[in-house]
Amino acid sequence: MKKYALLGKKLSHSYSKLIHEYIFQKFSWNASYSFWELEEKEIEKAILMAREKKLDGFNITVPYKEALLSRIDSIDEAAKRIGAINTIAKENNKMIGYNTDCFGFQKMLEYFSIDVNAKKIIILGTGGASKAVAEALRLLGTTSIQFVSRSPMGTQLSYDEYLEGDILVNTTPVGMYPDKNISPVSKRIFSHFETAIDLIYNPKETQFLLDAKSSGLFTINGLFMLVAQAIRSEEIWLHKRFDISLYHEVYSYLEGIIYENYGNSRS
């Protein structure tokens, strides 16, 4: 049996297991996917532990997307450019790091028909996810990208500054379940934007998205990105390519399960 896992600090909010198990069952693959929680003081032992667990690969979520960069055997060129990894594959007994968040964000924009070319994008957060989002935007032709940080450096903006643009993207965990009644920005910010994207998918509508929607913006949560990055991880692990129809199938399946109280509609 092939063994895969999700590495993170707190994973009670995650739906990754549902995605991977759905695909394993659909194709009758003998594989398992488990949650693997580690405290930050233990992260330096993660690769050794992965070998002891005999994992064939694993995903990485916050706050460890940058922590393992110096602890693996090799890093994919795209992941090097981004400076963060969220997928590790064991190949010839070596641990190789990849970034599928960038791919996932691109697929999400494609699914919701969001054109980012020549648009001004403001990204909240400066962690691993924000770097993947920025790389995806650059690949799609975006030339105006600014980061917002609570401790700004260089050209980064602070949350106290006047923020305006076409698309506002939240890559921070602020508003994630169970702290769903808080937002990284005040509601007045949204009057300066047209579209709001939150990488959080639990809850379906964060306070960030609720405020954006009530301000008249088109809103998107991170569920399709989650699905797309997970399927791309499987392509890397299994050396396969899947048709886009699988992305839509898994997205509809997951949306129906976890958002049944909201109805099965796009955010």
Side-chain angles (χ1 to χ4, degrees):
M1 173 183 282
K2 295 288 187 180
K3 295 171 64 177
Y4 305 98
L6 173 64
L7 171 64
K9 187 174 182 179
K10 302 286 186 182
L11 299 175
S12 60
H13 68 282
S14 177
Y15 296 116
S16 292
K17 186 176 172 68
L18 287 173
I19 300 172
H20 291 285
E21 290 185 341
Y22 179 92
I23 296 172
F24 295 155
Q25 291 173 16
K26 177 180 174 66
F27 295 103
S28 300
W29 288 328
N30 187 22
S32 67
Y33 193 90
S34 59
F35 286 155
W36 178 19
E37 293 187 344
L38 276 184
E39 293 295 328
E40 292 179 51
K41 62 184 179 182
E42 302 175 288
I43 196 62
E44 63 183 26
K45 304 175 186 175
I47 297 303
L48 176 62
M49 294 170 72
R51 294 185 185 281
E52 292 174 347
K53 289 173 177 286
K54 300 189 185 319
L55 293 178
D56 295 283
F58 59 98
N59 293 123
I60 306 166
T61 190
V62 290
Y64 302 136
K65 293 184 179 184
E66 297 164 287
L68 296 182
L69 281 170
S70 62
R71 295 182 169 90
I72 55 179
D73 298 302
S74 180
I75 304 172
D76 174 69
E77 286 302 316
K80 280 183 183 178
R81 290 197 304 273
I82 295 166
I85 53 176
N86 75 320
T87 298
I88 288 181
K90 186 169 73 173
E91 301 173 10
N92 298 320
N93 209 37
K94 291 187 176 182
M95 294 296 186
I96 315 298
Y98 298 86
N99 189 300
T100 67
D101 281 336
C102 176
F103 175 88
F105 190 76
Q106 287 180 282
K107 285 296 181 184
M108 181 179 70
L109 294 176
E110 179 184 311
Y111 181 76
F112 287 99
S113 301
I114 302 297
D115 182 9
V116 298
N117 188 35
K119 297 293 179 66
K120 182 178 180 181
I121 317 291
I122 302 295
I123 300 175
L124 305 179
T126 55
S130 74
K131 294 175 180 178
V133 166
E135 176 68 7
L137 291 169
R138 292 187 191 103
L139 291 173
L140 292 170
T142 306
T143 56
S144 179
I145 302 170
Q146 288 186 293
F147 295 92
V148 182
S149 172
R150 299 202 180 282
S151 302
M153 299 175 61
T155 60
Q156 295 173 357
L157 304 174
S158 78
Y159 283 86
D160 296 326
E161 293 185 58
Y162 179 80
L163 303 177
E164 66 171 344
D166 298 297
I167 302 174
L168 183 63
V169 185
N170 178 37
T171 70
T172 78
V174 177
M176 182 184 292
Y177 179 86
D179 301 317
K180 58 184 181 179
N181 295 321
I182 57 175
S183 171
V185 292
S186 64
K187 187 175 179 178
R188 59 182 173 78
I189 293 293
F190 295 105
S191 62
H192 311 146
F193 294 89
E194 298 174 354
T195 300
I197 300 173
D198 199 332
L199 300 196
I200 295 171
Y201 52 85
N202 183 10
K204 179 181 183 179
E205 291 185 304
T206 57
Q207 191 62 49
F208 174 86
L209 292 183
L210 288 170
D211 289 344
K213 182 179 284 187
S214 68
S215 300
L217 278 68
F218 180 69
T219 61
I220 303 170
N221 74 10
L223 188 65
F224 196 91
M225 178 179 171
L226 174 74
V227 169
Q229 64 80 27
I231 292 177
R232 180 64 188 129
S233 293
E234 296 230 3
E235 290 182 336
I236 291 169
W237 292 332
L238 302 168
H239 303 286
K240 294 180 179 291
R241 287 289 184 181
F242 296 110
D243 187 81
I244 191 62
S245 61
L246 179 65
Y247 293 74
H248 296 173
E249 177 185 336
V250 176
Y251 177 67
S252 295
Y253 160 76
L254 198 61
E255 191 180 37
I257 287 179
I258 67 177
Y259 297 152
E260 58 183 354
N261 294 329
Y262 288 91
N264 194 28
S265 60
R266 297 182 187 181
S267 297

